[in-house]
Amino acid sequence: MENVSDRSDTETADEPSSSILKPLISPAAERIRFILGEDDSGPPPPQLFTELDELLAVDGQEMEWTETARWIKFEEKVEKGGERWSKPHVATLSLHSLFQLKNCIEKGTIKLDMEANSLQQIVEMITDSQIESGQLKADLKEMVMYTLLRKHRHQTKKSNLRSLADIGKSVSSASRLFSSQENGSPTTAHRNLTSNSLNDLSDKPEKDQLNNKFMKKVPRDAEASNVLVGEVDFLDAPFVAFVRLQQAVMLGGLTEVPVPTRFLFILLGPKGKAKSYREIGRAIATLMSDEVFHDIAYKAKDRGDLLAGIDEFLDEVIVLPPGEWDPDIRIEPPKSIPSADKRKNNIAGGEGLQMNGGAPHDGSPAGGGGHAVGDELKFTGKFCGGLILDVKRKLPFYASDFYDAVNIQSLSAILFIYLGTVTNAITFGGLLGDATDNMQGVLESFVGTALTGAVFCLFAGQPLTILSSTGPVLVFERLLFNFSKDNDFDYLEFRLWIGLWSAFLCLVLVATDASFLVQYFTRFTEEGFSALISFIFIYDAFKKMLKLAHHHPINSDFNMDLHHLNETWASLTRSECLEWGGQLLGPACEFIPDITLMSFILFFGTYTCSMGLKKFKTSQFFPTTVRKMISDFAIILAILIFCGVDALVGVDTPKLIVPSEFKPTSPNRGWFVPPFGGNPWWVYLVSFLPALLVTILVFMDQQITAVIVNRKEHKLKKGAGYHLDLFWVSILLIVCSFMGLPWYVAATVISIAHIDSIKMETETSAPGEQPKFLGVREQRVTGTMVFILTGLSVLMAPILKFIPMPVLYGVFLYMGVASLNGVQFMDRLQLLLMPAKHQPDLIYLRHVPLRRVHLFTFIQVLCLALLWVLKSTVAAIIFPVMILALVAVRKAMDYVFSQHDLSYLDDIMPEKDKKKKEDEKKKKKKKGSIDSDMNDSDFPANENVPSIKISMEAMEQEPVLGEKPSDRERPSVVIYFTKLIFLFLKRFLL
């Protein structure tokens, strides 16, 4: 590779013209591709804590190694005051310091996999190596060792008071001490100096190290990289060494935290260049915190590998013009850091850096979501094949589904989802009682919610899903009751047979693997459905508050003489204004009743407080543990705060009412519905028709919510269970039909809220680094406990009656708004009202024209509006069919939008993805069949060959590029006629 890089321009110019088609890969990238591509069956290299120590004078007398900066991900400097660390910031390096560092690695001592157990042994081996190579004079060895073995002062230490005797024994610099050699034995002096220096550096971790709170920020099993730079007056040339120990070793007080050292970079140089040495030290420290160079440093086999790593780093560096920014400004760490895996893949694939984020699209969904089409949605073609696979997939995790819930976060999730579920059960039960003359009421809603939810969470394939009744079910129940009443049918018996037929049809869908159709639910369908449900939650919250205000209306007859008020107010003094303003509050409150005013304060206060406390995790107040605890219990704290406010004010706001007796709402029914005797025999058969609608409703509601829960951005590791979920919903449908309880399916908003409440993040994050999302705490305990508490709510009625209903409506509003966060549809809605210069840097805006984005959004808004109108009319019975129609609309959009645009705005439809994979297989097969021909060709095959414009003159002289004659049926004839066509066009135009 060195020979290739050293070739002259003349030789390069003489290469065949095919060289312009070769990918532009630097020798450094080729070498790094080889280093990182080596098979390594061992664990990945540990993360590094890097510390920069400079040789500085302490109190103007004694030279010590003083810590001035540290890195894990970002740089932290010791402020000039010396008593505090700076905020973490992106390290800004001068290009010159990187070139100087490269020069140091080229000429300095490189020791890889050194076997040493102490700092003294390391220093002796380095100095002996430099003496052997002629880089260091033998008589300077003791002075260098003395300097490198001096005491290290870390930022955790304060200045220590020393006795006069200690001060008298101390030395100001190594050269000053070594001046005693002129009057005494050099050997004796060297021995004494080395002994004194070693006494300054302990081999064991010091107390300050062990008690350092910063250790919480250091990743587990991390190793240290120590950078020592300084200027001395006894060297004429720089003393440079880079050391990698074979095994990480604890070197006592060398590092701020008790972490074993793996790397050591030393730079000692002549006086007068301290700033240059510091910048070189910052450069190597920043490189060691870079993920790619970090891996290279661990795998490097010689000096050339390290130089290649520096060259690759230089290839990736983006230079800022000196006159267009202030170097004194510290760049804040970004909220999200791109993964280094993409950079490594670019090296492996030979793709260059795309400036300003213009990375090539890989064809994956740009929204960061999508549901992976894996074994869960595979059509087996066997009887109950998908169900059996779901059971086999989930059974190994069943025990862990219980002990994985052991965390304080689970408690907050249980309380939050419980209150949301209770509120929903009471609201739905009340509406259902009005629609069915109390044949189903609040208590039936409680019992059904507790029974079905607990069973589902214990045995279903995805226990994170929360079951609840939905609006379309309520509409169906109202229509069915009115139909039964008009035709003198037994409502509960008629409903029982509809439930049995629907359960039978759902079980048929389970047995035939019909859930594989879920893969046709793309982001377009999912976001349309989830946004609709979220808007319903928000609308219902305000609707309930307005209904409450209707019971306590505003006094429209109240009249205040504003003209007289203004004249009176202008004539008053300041003290009189305060006194008279207090008197105004009495009549002003007559305009708005106390109950209405207090209810709206509780409503908006609960919502605002919940939102604010949920974001408290990213605030700058209190330690991390406290912030996280407040964020986890945000909704519970908001509820407690405003329950306390309500109790202190003493206004009689409407409270939560829970049934206190366990008996059916209607005295005309029991807990078991007999299947025969109430209706004619033909009703049992006719009920099959309405059961079809119920089946579509159950399938669509259940599976769309399951798709949203199982989206890949949630990073679920235990797999999904679409077939198993639908199986248990079918079984519970039978149970609820026999007991006369409401029917339950997956609830979108509450399920999303459940997932958000148990998200896991990294416990230790580097200073300045945002905690990384690890996934969701997949377990069965939170859901099960929520529904057990719901069943026990009858016993907790004396406690629950103190919770104001406006507070729970505020929780409803929070759940609706929070479920819209991160939805691409909402981002695109905002773009409609946003000027182009203020639009955020979204990935799909880089690759899809704005008018096409707006067209996609308009179609989605139109579908959503039609669904809303349909839901609000009598035609709501066919609502599930219209949800299914969203899939057909998305299918038709393939003819309006290109697959490129849809890959950024939505998920690719399964058959399109299948065709794409088949095309890739054909390309690979074709490539494999012509490999032998390509090896002999001057034009090697490369899928990423850039397009090149070829002039007519070149066409006259050269054959068509990109294909060999062997690839065509009659190559000579084709090339001949191509030349003739171009010649004719040229002459005709001239």
Side-chain angles (χ1 to χ4, degrees), residues 146-175:
Y146 169 80
T147 304
L148 294 178
L149 296 175
R150 290 299 295 154
K151 181 167 59 179
H152 288 253
R153 181 179 296 275
H154 302 295
Q155 179 57 23
T156 54
K157 291 185 178 181
K158 307 297 180 185
S159 298
N160 297 322
L161 296 176
R162 293 169 294 156
S163 64
L164 292 176
D166 292 335
I167 295 175
K169 294 178 183 178
S170 64
V171 292
S172 60
S173 67
S175 59

Side-chain angles (χ1 to χ4, degrees), residues 84 102 186 196 247 259 276 285 297 312 326 435 474 483 579 648 677 746-747 760 845 912:
R84 65 183 293 271
K102 183 178 178 182
N196 290 338
Q247 297 292 335
V259 173
S276 178
E312 188 276 336
D326 185 1
L474 178 62
F483 180 82
E579 180 180 356
L648 289 175
M760 297 184 297
L845 290 182
K912 300 290 182 182

Side-chain angles (χ1 to χ4, degrees), residues 19-20 155 255 283 403 486 664 689 692 708 823 825:
S19 63
I20 62 175
Q155 179 57 23
T255 311
Y403 59 73
D486 295 340
L689 297 178
L692 287 175
I708 295 172
V823 176
F825 171 62

Side-chain angles (χ1 to χ4, degrees), residues 849-877:
L850 186 60
R851 64 181 183 278
R852 307 293 289 176
V853 175
H854 288 338
L855 177 60
F856 188 89
T857 307
F858 175 75
I859 295 174
Q860 208 165 4
V861 170
L862 185 62
C863 293
L864 190 62
L866 290 174
L867 287 174
W868 183 276
V869 172
L870 185 69
K871 176 198 77 70
S872 306
T873 62
V874 183
I877 191 69

Side-chain angles (χ1 to χ4, degrees), residues 433-499:
D434 294 339
T436 63
D437 286 349
N438 286 329
M439 294 303 289
Q440 295 182 78
V442 175
L443 186 65
E444 285 81 6
S445 180
F446 266 84
V447 174
T449 301
L451 176 63
T452 58
V455 172
F456 186 87
C457 288
L458 282 174
F459 303 109
Q462 184 49 271
L464 300 179
T465 305
I466 300 296
L467 295 189
S468 178
S469 290
T470 60
V473 171
L474 178 62
V475 173
F476 181 84
E477 296 278 11
R478 180 184 290 111
L479 294 176
L480 181 63
F481 179 80
N482 292 334
F483 180 82
S484 301
K485 187 176 181 181
D486 295 340
N487 293 277
D488 293 329
F489 288 162
D490 187 331
Y491 161 68
L492 290 180
E493 184 181 313
F494 189 20
R495 181 180 177 275
L496 166 63
W497 280 97
I498 293 175

Side-chain angles (χ1 to χ4, degrees), residues 630-809:
I630 292 175
S631 177
D632 288 341
F633 285 86
I635 294 86
I636 304 303
L637 289 174
I639 292 173
L640 292 176
I641 289 171
F642 283 92
C643 284
V645 170
D646 178 73
L648 289 175
V649 174
V651 177
D652 188 20
T653 54
K655 300 297 192 296
L656 177 64
I657 300 175
V658 180
S660 56
E661 295 181 355
F662 188 78
K663 64 179 182 179
T665 308
S666 173
N668 299 324
R669 57 155 293 181
W671 287 115
F672 179 78
V673 178
F676 304 103
N679 294 321
W681 64 269
W682 53 267
V683 174
Y684 310 144
L685 303 178
V686 173
S687 58
F688 177 81
L689 297 178
L692 287 175
L693 282 175
V694 176
T695 303
I696 297 174
L697 170 64
V698 170
F699 183 82
M700 295 297 295
D701 269 11
Q702 175 64 38
Q703 300 298 45
I704 289 181
T705 303
V707 165
I708 295 172
V709 169
N710 292 317
R711 289 190 72 85
K712 64 183 181 183
E713 65 249 35
H714 293 151
K715 297 184 179 180
L716 302 180
K717 298 180 176 61
K718 297 182 180 181
Y722 295 97
H723 310 278
L724 187 57
D725 288 347
L726 188 58
F727 171 79
W728 280 108
V729 168
S730 306
I731 298 299
L732 293 171
L733 198 62
I734 297 173
V735 175
C736 290
S737 299
F738 270 110
M739 294 186 66
L741 304 176
W743 294 324
Y744 293 90
V745 291
T748 306
V749 172
I750 299 181
S751 298
I752 294 174
H754 185 211
I755 287 176
D756 288 340
S757 65
I758 51 176
K759 286 183 175 179
M760 297 184 297
E761 294 178 338
T762 50
E763 295 181 0
T764 59
S765 57
E769 183 185 21
Q770 296 293 330
K772 293 182 180 179
F773 173 61
L774 299 178
V776 178
R777 202 175 299 279
E778 298 178 67
Q779 36 74 39
R780 300 178 182 271
V781 174
T782 54
T784 305
M785 289 303 300
V786 162
F787 293 110
I788 290 176
L789 289 176
T790 303
L792 296 176
S793 296
V794 176
L795 304 177
M796 295 188 291
I799 300 174
L800 296 176
K801 69 180 182 180
F802 292 105
I803 302 179
M805 288 304 295
V807 170
L808 297 180
Y809 297 153

Side-chain angles (χ1 to χ4, degrees), residues 32-43:
I32 291 170
R33 181 192 301 184
F34 177 76
I35 297 170
L36 299 180
E38 290 181 338
D39 292 333
D40 189 4
S41 57

